[in-house]
């Protein structure tokens, strides 16, 4: 079971169980043996809530990925398509179904849309002449997926683009639905705070949905004290900077997907003597990263510079524990030692893995280029030389470093200068188009529309005001024993988390001026509770805040919030929800125009 | 290994087709055998003639009673019994006559509520413009993109373009959904009409330009890009679009010519260094590199000459020198490299000058495996002494290190460097000679 989901202040296993139950119910509706045809994107998120064994218990005998042309043969009664509601997938499904009809015994087709049925998609199926072939067409509202004891994600990769570029509110609607599900399970959240256009809309939808359900009064005792809805475009800066926590760096360098990471296998090869490096494994090493692993839970949120010392301390503790065997004299002592062996061996394996990962990361962080890049980022964030063409960025373009890296830096400079001077912007644009191709003009426009790369208007730079008021740049940062959230970026305190921190204490009234500079409205709503459900907080008892990042959140921000949760006199514990776990690179990628 | 695992293994081994499973949580190492990405090979879903198709479209429009297909059947029975969408089961064998749309008097809010629950209901009863707009407003107020899109398709089918555009212009949320929807289904024609109507000229231009990406044939793509010139882009962008066209035009000429030269087998450079890929659709800087590689000595008059490219596209000096240097160094044409940085003043004296800084020159030369003598020459030209020493040490230009230490009268550093050179080498001898020299006044 997913025990790590229940360690937190809020037991997220309850949610996981609820979605598993719903899945079982659907599977049982399609009686008989089945094959599932998967939209490949969904397998990752589904893996977090169900394993193959669960599906097998419900007569799923075969699984395939959704591919054009024919379905592979499978001797089953039901074929079920698990798909996101996307038009291009409907075309593939239709092809599958049509080529199926011509041969063999008839089978029952079903479609499960995740997270929602789409009229548009069903229309497309109808146009293609296959809509009638499906017996069950249903939806599976897998809106929020529990990733860890304090972390939920919708894993909707297009969310930011849809919300801020295309103004499509569908994913906000899903967010609101996800929040309604949470409230059904964990009680009505009495207070809602928010900042940003999308936050406002989600709050509106929630209030409206609640009004529609007036018939049934929610009788669950509320677990959350308040909800904070935050638009990603209130803080465009944070994801652009390179995350410097352990987990953040793993994500930056190797990419964490649905809590798994794939690593180069060389470092994980079992060491055999006299085997001069032959037969190195060639397949990537895949590891799951979550708090179920004790050591990982301890180090993931630390600044990377503080990870080495923890690992070496652990190594000493473990070897000391193994040494204990020499002291075990009596049968009882030996027995006790042996009973601890499995745990010790697991700890040793975990330590070996993370030592290898840390070595891999160190190779990157100690490189000259990483240092140069970090220097430039930190200069920008502390407000140095943001208004002229940067030599390092120029060099990156000249050496044709990845376009994503270049865009990320240019956007960071733009955000830290409230937009670039026209001349500087034009210069970067020309260099980028000449080096990477003119078609990227479309991408540049997307970035401009999202507010990431734009000309400065009226020659006013607001960033210094924001930086100073919110104390976004801290010169004296302690990476080993942090006293402030700025440790996650070695100096820069993520704006989004600062807003959360200030809301908890002393309240947003103290930063009205900055809130007006940041985009979108800020607001507060109350959802009245019947007297029986009103909470009387014990002295010293922490509040629980659900913070929802609309448009994505980074691991470094998650780390900063966990840091606040753990502060002794913090007073607030956070559960974090988002549309997508992301980093600067995946973010830029989602905003780039798909080139055929 | 537990039992489930053995079962699973059996499953995998017995399964003829590529399939996969989730990782079991207690299974640390992935057992996933993922099939190759299916989604990558998605065919383009943009139809050319979807305008007509959409006219036929309706899950809402068609009288429901006429539906005979199985799928619609369920939804219908669902609509009749008003059970929650999730609990319906196939109800076959009911006489067709029973399936009639009973509620002709659903209000806009009832209708929208039903649509939100994924139930079938006819929108045809919303006949007047006013009713249709009420329906749209209700859908918008629910924020459910799915339903908004459904209503928009109904409006698109039943309203004239002019009326639709006019009404949406004052309903921004719905308008944005329509734009998104048109992009999604690839209805470029209506989208462009809409932008024109809204006077969103830049979006219109970009949207038109975007289409070139789906044109594979270079000649056709070029012709298409030509139609983009003169569209209402910003001044800066207009220049880039023009350049894009000009570049592809050039590339087509160069490609035809070089392919011919290469296959004829008479030209040395192509024989020695066969082309790895076509130059078509490559970025400008890549094209310049190509041209510096294969056509370096050509006179300015030819389309493929680097100088011509530099002029036509106003490539800055820095960019030009960097690219030429990389290309010539790759060919180990050290004379060309030398010439790139040699300037003559009016008295005829030559002088070395690099707009990109000699430290960069050295880095690029090193990357291209330039011999030490060549590297040394350029390391010596680096002005900043510290940088020079660093580079010389990094690239093992012993003479430069030794001479620089001597010039700096830095005995300690020279001593330290002595341990880095090979025993008994010429460098060691040179260092020893300097260290024992009485002419130098060491500073340490």
């Amino acid at each position: 079971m997913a025990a790590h989901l229940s360690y937190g202040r809020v037991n997220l296993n309850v949610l996981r169980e609820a979605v598993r139950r719903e899945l079982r119910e659907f599977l049982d509706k399609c009686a008989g043996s089945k094959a599932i045809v998967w939209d490949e994107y969904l397998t990752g998120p589904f893996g977090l809530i169900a394993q193959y064994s669960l599906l097998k218990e419900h007569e799923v005998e075969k699984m395939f990925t959704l591919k054009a042309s024919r379905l592979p043969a499978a001797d089953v009664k039901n074929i079920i398509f698990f798909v996101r509601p996307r038009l291009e997938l409907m075309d593939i499904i239709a092809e599958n179904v049509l080529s199926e009809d011509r041969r063999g015994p008839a089978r029952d087709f079903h479609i499960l849309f995740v997270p929602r049925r789409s009229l548009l998609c069903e229309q497309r199926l109808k146009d293609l002449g296959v809509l009638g072939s499906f017996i069950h067409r249903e939806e599976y509202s897998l809106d929020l997926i529990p990733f860890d004891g304090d972390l939920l994600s919708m894993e909707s990769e297009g969310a930011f683009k849809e919300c801020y570029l295309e103004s499509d509110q569908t994913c906000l609607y899903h967010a609101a639905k996800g929040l309604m599900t949470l409230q059904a399970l964990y009680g009505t959240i009495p207070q809602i705070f928010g900042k940003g256009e999308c936050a406002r809309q989600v709050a509106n939808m929630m209030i409206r949905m609640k009004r529609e359900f007036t018939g049934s009064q929610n009788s669950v005792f509320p677990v959350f004290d308040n909800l904070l809805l935050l638009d990603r475009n209130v803080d465009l800066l944070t994801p652009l900077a390179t995350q410097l926590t352990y987990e953040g760096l793993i994500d930056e360098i190797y990419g964490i997907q649905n809590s798994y990471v794939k690593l180069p296998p060389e470092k994980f090869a079992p060491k055999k003597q006299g085997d001069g490096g032959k037969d190195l494994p060639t397949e990537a090493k895949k590891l799951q990263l979550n708090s179920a692993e004790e050591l990982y839970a301890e180090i993931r949120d630390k600044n990377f510079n503080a990870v080495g010392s923890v690992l070496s301390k652990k190594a000493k503790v473990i070897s000391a524990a193994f040494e204990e065997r020499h002291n075990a004299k009596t049968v009882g002592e030996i027995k006790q030692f042996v009973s601890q062996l499995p745990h010790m061996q697991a700890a040793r394996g975990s330590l070996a893995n993370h030592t290898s990962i840390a070595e891999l990361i160190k190779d990157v962080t100690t490189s000259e280029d990483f240092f140069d890049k970090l220097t430039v980022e930190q200069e920008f964030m502390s407000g140095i030389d943001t208004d002229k063409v940067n030599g390092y960025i120029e060099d990156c373009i000249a050496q044709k470093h990845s376009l994503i890296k270049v865009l990320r830096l240019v956007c960071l400079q733009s955000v830290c200068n409230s937009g670039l001077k026209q001349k500087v912007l034009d210069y970067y644009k020309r260099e980028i188009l000449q080096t990477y191709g003119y078609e990227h003009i479309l991408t540049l426009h997307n970035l401009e529309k999202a507010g990431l790369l734009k000309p400065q208007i009226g020659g006013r730079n607001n960033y210094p005001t924001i930086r100073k008021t919110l104390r976004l740049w801290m010169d004296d940062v302690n990476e080993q024993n942090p006293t402030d959230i700025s440790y996650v970026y070695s100096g820069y305190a993520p704006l989004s988390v600062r807003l959360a921190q200030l809301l908890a204490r002393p309240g947003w009234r103290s930063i009205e001026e900055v809130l007006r500079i940041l985009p979108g409205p800020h607001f507060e709503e109350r959802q009245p509770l019947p007297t029986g459900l009103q909470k009387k907080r014990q002295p010293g008892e922490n509040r629980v805040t659900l913070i929802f990042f609309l448009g994505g959140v980074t691991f470094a921000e998650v780390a900063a919030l966990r840091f606040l949760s753990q502060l002794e006199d913090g007073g607030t514990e956070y559960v974090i929800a988002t549309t997508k776990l992301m980093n600067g690179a995946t973010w830029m990628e989602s905003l780039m125009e798909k080139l055929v | 290994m537990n039992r489930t695992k053995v079962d699973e293994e059996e499953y995998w081994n017995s399964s003829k087709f590529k399939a996969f499973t989730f990782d079991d949580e207690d299974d640390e190492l992935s057992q996933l055998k993922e099939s190759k990405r299916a989604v990558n090979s998605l065919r383009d879903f943009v139809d050319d003639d979807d305008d007509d198709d959409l006219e036929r479209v309706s899950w809402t429009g068609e009288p429901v009673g006429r539906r005979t297909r199985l799928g619609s059947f369920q939804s219908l029975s669902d609509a009749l019994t008003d059970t929650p969408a999730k609990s319906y089961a196939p109800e076959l064998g009911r006489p067709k006559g029973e399936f009639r749309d009973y509620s002709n008097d659903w209000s806009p809010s009832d209708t929208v509520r039903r649509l939100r629950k994924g139930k079938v209901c006819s929108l045809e009863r919303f006949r007047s413009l006013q009713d249709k707009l009420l329906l749209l407003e209700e859908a918008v107020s629910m924020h459910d993109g799915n339903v908004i899109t459904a209503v928009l398709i109904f409006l698109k089918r039943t309203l004239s373009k002019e009326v639709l555009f006019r009404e949406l212009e004052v309903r921004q949320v719905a308008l944005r959904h329509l734009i998104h929807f048109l992009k999604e289904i690839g209805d470029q024609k209506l989208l462009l009409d809409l932008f024109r109507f809204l006077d969103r000229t830049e979006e219109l231009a970009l949207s038109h330009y975007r289409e070139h990406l789906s044109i594979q044939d270079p000649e056709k793509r070029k012709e298409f890009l030509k139609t983009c010139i003169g569209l209402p882009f910003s001044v800066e962008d207009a220049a880039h679009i023009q350049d894009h066209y000009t570049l592809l035009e050039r590339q087509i000429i160069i490609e035809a010519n070089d392919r011919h030269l290469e296959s004829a087998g008479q030209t040395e450079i192509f024989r020695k260094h066969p082309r790895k890929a076509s130059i078509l659709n490559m970025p400008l800087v890549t094209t310049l590199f190509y041209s510096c590689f294969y056509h370096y000595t050509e006179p300015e008059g030819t389309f493929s000459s680097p100088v011509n490219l530099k002029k036509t596209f106003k490539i800055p000096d820095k960019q030009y020198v960097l690219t030429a240097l990389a290309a010539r160094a790759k060919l180990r044409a050290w004379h060309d490299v030398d010439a790139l940085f040699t300037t003559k003043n009016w008295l005829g004296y030559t002088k070395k000058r690099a707009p990109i800084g000699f430290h960069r020159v050295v880095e690029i030369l090193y990357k291209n495996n330039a011999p030490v003598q060549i590297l040394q020459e350029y390391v010596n030209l680096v002005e900043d002494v510290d940088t020079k020493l660093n580079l010389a040490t990094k690239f093992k230009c012993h003479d430069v290190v030794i001479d620089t230490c001597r010039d700096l009268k830095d005995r300690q550093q020279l001593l330290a460097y002595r341990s880095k050179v090979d025993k008994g080498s010429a460098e060691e001898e040179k260092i020893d000679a300097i260290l024992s020299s009485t002419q130098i006044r060491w500073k340490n």
Side-chain angles (χ1 to χ4, degrees), chain B residues 420-432:
Chain B
K420 287 182 193 158
V421 300
D422 293 336
K423 288 265 169 297
S425 63
E427 288 82 32
E428 198 185 48
E429 267 175 44
K430 184 173 172 180
I431 293 176
D432 289 341

Side-chain angles (χ1 to χ4, degrees), chain A residues 4 40 45 53 58 61 124 133 222 246 279 288 290 306 312 332 374 450 501 554 557 596:
Chain A
H4 64 288
E40 203 176 21
S53 48
H58 295 265
E61 293 179 1
R124 173 63 68 100
S133 312
Y246 182 53
D279 302 327
Q288 187 166 25
N290 61 33
S312 74
L374 207 61
Q501 190 184 11
T554 64
E557 286 168 301
V596 185

Side-chain angles (χ1 to χ4, degrees), chain B residues 139-198:
Chain B
V140 167
S141 74
M142 290 293 173
H143 302 281
D144 183 346
N146 193 23
V147 176
I148 298 172
T149 308
V151 174
L152 283 172
I153 295 174
F154 171 65
L155 297 190
K156 175 172 175 281
R157 190 170 55 79
T158 57
L159 292 177
S160 76
K161 206 160 67 183
E162 290 70 27
V163 177
L164 179 69
F165 290 175
R166 189 190 67 211
E167 294 301 336
L168 290 189
E169 193 178 10
V170 292
R171 291 170 176 80
Q172 285 294 313
V173 176
L175 178 66
R176 287 192 294 254
H177 275 268
L178 181 69
I179 291 171
H180 183 48
F181 163 68
L182 292 177
K183 277 185 188 160
E184 185 106 324
I185 61 166
D187 191 342
Q188 186 71 13
K189 196 173 151 292
L190 195 63
L191 188 63
L192 294 184
D193 285 347
L194 178 60
F195 284 146
R196 218 166 281 136
F197 174 85
L198 297 169

